[in-house]
Amino acid sequence: QVQLVESGGGSVQAGDSLRLSCAASEAIFSSSAMGWFRQAPGKEREFVAAISWTTGETSYTDSVKNRFTISRDNAKNTVYLQMNSLNPEDTAVYYCAAAIRTNYYLDRYTAYDYWGQGTQVAVFS
């Protein structure tokens, strides 16, 4: 069964760090581009970061560049999102997603085929 399971969310102070993890079933992880999205209350889901499964190339939304890092551990079928220098604007539910049909347009939620259940991140000033 295809599954994406996020973990690592929590409540932190501004300036702190968190690392989110997303464990995927091997059936999808080995041939998927992986991405992270987030959705704040009253806002649309937005792209955060993605990593290509073919090249390992990464991409980020501007607001998290130089603060967040996406990486993948193929041996563990896990993708990570290291989040540093968190600020209250980063507060949201964070979702992991897997794209098996395409390795392009990874900043669009329509590129993704599978989604995790989400993990809450709350940043207090």
Side-chain angles (χ1 to χ4, degrees):
Q1 183 176 355
V2 174
Q3 274 191 315
L4 296 174
V5 180
E6 301 103 330
S7 61
S11 298
V12 296
Q13 295 291 319
D16 286 350
S17 299
L18 281 174
R19 189 177 78 158
L20 305 183
S21 300
C22 173
S25 54
E26 193 280 336
I28 62 170
F29 187 83
S30 61
S31 59
S32 298
M34 302 296 293
W36 287 95
F37 285 71
R38 65 186 180 186
Q39 188 166 18
K43 295 187 178 181
E44 294 185 352
R45 190 171 300 192
E46 68 167 345
F47 169 74
V48 176
I51 184 165
S52 164
W53 69 269
T54 53
T55 65
E57 181 179 356
T58 59
S59 57
Y60 300 90
T61 192
D62 286 345
S63 63
V64 308
K65 285 181 180 177
N66 300 317
R67 298 191 300 124
F68 291 11
T69 303
I70 187 171
S71 61
R72 61 191 295 161
D73 185 333
N74 292 337
K76 296 182 178 179
N77 295 339
T78 300
V79 63
Y80 302 99
L81 185 67
Q82 177 66 44
M83 305 186 295
N84 299 329
S85 301
L86 286 162
N87 60 61
E89 290 70 38
D90 296 316
T91 295
V93 177
Y94 284 71
Y95 297 91
C96 169
I100 62 173
R101 294 172 290 113
T102 183
N103 205 34
Y104 300 97
Y105 304 111
L106 296 177
D107 59 336
R108 304 179 186 179
Y109 72 88
T110 52
Y112 295 86
D113 303 281
Y114 300 101
W115 293 84
Q117 81 288 351
T119 185
Q120 177 72 53
V121 172
V123 185
F124 298 95
S125 58

